[in-house]
Amino acid sequence: MIYGKFIALAAAAAMTLPAVGARAADQVKFMFDWIPSGINGALYAGKTNGCFEEQDIEFTFDRGAGGVDTVSKVASGLADLGRADLGTVMLGASGAGAKVKAILPVYLISPFAILTLSDSGINGLKDLEGRVLAHGPGDSAIQMLPIAMENAGADLSKVKTETVDFAALLGLLIQGKSDAQTTFMTTGRILQNVLKKAGKEGTLIHFGDDLDMYGSVVFASQTFLDTRPEVAARAKMALQCAYLKAKDDPVSVADALLAEFPEKKRDAEEASISAAMALIFENDVYKANGFTWNMERVDATFKNAKQAQGETASGDASQFIHSFP
């Protein structure tokens, strides 16, 4: 009788123990370059759609304060992975000595754009001459604009540029105190929605499409790549899976984002997600390469980034890209 009770207790205890060989998912810290919005919902959706579970990865996400800041923080070990423009990652590594490398292209087309009111008469970059263009401090789009203007046969020196707080940009446009502002296509879709509610119509000029360079990428600290290479490889696959599932089910991206940030507006975020899909999937670069790096485009991105910043860094651009075995 006593023996029987012992067997029963042992069986009950065994049921409360973890299965042999089971282990906790690997923890990975990810930092965005700004407040998560739009397509970033794909990564929150990855928590429940199987992408992260399949790779045995558990992500924690933090907002950033601009691409330069995110590169610095990932390099210092505050996060394992981050998201920023490839040009920012390259210059951070070559100029500031940040030990980081890009592992996954996200925006295969640069998102840089100009937002103006549809009745402004500004239909291309040449039309900016003689007008007032506002931009936020440290804005990467204004840094690339001189290259795009030159390519378009336009002269940026004939444009009156003003640096203002990001929060004031749209108000100046609505009030007629500026004629245009720099933005990203994804953010611009949200701003168009805001303008519509204010009784205005906005037009976006996607000048990044003509720069033949990558936009946003996922990058990793060199320490993460060196000390946990197998985890880094699985994390990359988990994130790639999340973006691919977003392509098939963009509504789930908005659902996941709004579940995390209920204060956001669905119509604006869905517009931003749609714009992101064009930057990631609906372009010739993705059709030709998928998520595999096009090294000519990597080289062009480094060249443009250096020219925009007046940098003289040399070396092969491939040094900023990590390829997994």
Side-chain angles (χ1 to χ4, degrees), residues 72-138:
S72 175
K73 286 179 177 175
V74 171
S76 69
L78 292 178
D80 303 304
L81 300 174
R83 186 171 159 186
D85 286 337
L86 179 57
T88 300
V89 174
M90 290 172 153
L91 292 181
S94 64
K99 295 186 180 302
V100 293
K101 285 187 177 180
I103 65 170
L104 177 70
V106 180
Y107 290 164
L108 280 70
I109 303 295
S110 170
F112 298 139
I114 298 294
L115 174 67
T116 185
L117 297 182
S118 298
D119 59 2
S120 67
I122 298 174
N123 300 303
L125 296 184
K126 183 72 174 176
D127 298 326
L128 288 173
E129 294 179 356
R131 312 297 284 272
V132 177
L133 175 70
H135 62 88

Side-chain angles (χ1 to χ4, degrees), residues 6-323:
F6 174 78
I7 295 296
L9 289 171
M15 293 178 64
T16 65
L17 296 174
V20 176
R23 61 181 178 82
D26 289 297
Q27 304 292 310
V28 176
K29 296 181 180 178
F30 186 104
M31 180 173 286
F32 294 107
D33 53 354
W34 199 244
I35 301 170
S37 64
I39 195 61
N40 292 323
L43 304 194
Y44 290 102
K47 292 182 175 183
T48 57
N49 64 14
C51 283
F52 299 167
E53 183 179 3
E54 287 170 7
Q55 296 296 335
D56 204 19
I57 299 290
E58 184 174 329
F59 286 97
T60 56
F61 297 114
D62 289 318
R63 61 156 290 177
V68 173
D69 183 67
T70 297
V71 169
S72 175
K73 286 179 177 175
V74 171
S76 69
L78 292 178
D80 303 304
L81 300 174
R83 186 171 159 186
D85 286 337
L86 179 57
T88 300
V89 174
M90 290 172 153
L91 292 181
S94 64
K99 295 186 180 302
V100 293
K101 285 187 177 180
I103 65 170
L104 177 70
V106 180
Y107 290 164
L108 280 70
I109 303 295
S110 170
F112 298 139
I114 298 294
L115 174 67
T116 185
L117 297 182
S118 298
D119 59 2
S120 67
I122 298 174
N123 300 303
L125 296 184
K126 183 72 174 176
D127 298 326
L128 288 173
E129 294 179 356
R131 312 297 284 272
V132 177
L133 175 70
H135 62 88
D139 175 49
S140 54
I142 193 66
Q143 294 167 359
M144 287 295 174
L145 186 58
I147 299 173
M149 292 281 284
E150 182 179 347
N151 292 344
D155 187 352
L156 186 59
S157 68
K158 296 180 180 179
V159 182
K160 182 179 180 181
T161 59
E162 296 182 346
T163 305
V164 301
D165 187 86
F166 280 104
L169 282 171
L170 196 62
L172 293 177
L173 188 64
I174 292 174
Q175 296 165 25
K177 295 181 179 179
S178 70
D179 299 303
Q181 69 177 71
T182 54
T183 187
F184 285 4
M185 287 297 292
T186 46
T187 307
R189 295 298 185 198
I190 295 176
L191 297 178
Q192 281 182 311
N193 190 276
V194 176
L195 285 172
K196 186 175 182 180
K197 292 178 180 178
K200 305 283 186 177
E201 184 178 352
T203 293
L204 284 167
I205 301 169
H206 185 193
F207 71 86
D209 193 26
D210 300 321
L211 290 173
D212 296 326
M213 59 188 291
Y214 282 108
S216 184
V217 301
V218 175
F219 65 97
S221 72
Q222 190 63 56
T223 299
F224 182 47
L225 294 172
D226 289 342
T227 60
R228 296 199 290 164
E230 192 267 342
V231 175
R234 285 190 284 112
K236 179 216 171 185
M237 294 305 298
L239 295 170
Q240 183 172 310
C241 170
Y243 287 120
L244 287 168
K245 287 205 172 183
K247 177 177 180 287
D248 295 334
D249 187 8
V251 173
S252 70
V253 177
D255 290 343
L257 186 72
L258 292 169
E260 195 74 22
F261 303 98
E263 71 278 8
K264 291 183 177 291
K265 305 299 183 185
R266 177 175 287 273
D267 53 355
E269 297 302 330
E270 287 183 342
S272 178
I273 292 165
S274 177
M277 291 299 174
L279 299 171
I280 303 172
F281 299 109
E282 298 161 13
N283 57 76
D284 291 338
V285 183
Y286 181 79
K287 292 173 183 176
N289 304 280
F291 284 116
T292 301
W293 295 99
N294 178 310
M295 295 312 298
E296 290 184 0
R297 200 171 188 82
V298 170
D299 290 340
T301 302
F302 190 34
K303 177 184 176 182
N304 285 339
K306 288 190 297 181
Q307 182 179 341
Q309 292 290 334
E311 296 279 353
T312 57
S314 59
D316 191 335
S318 63
Q319 66 185 297
F320 308 113
I321 304 297
H322 181 81
S323 297

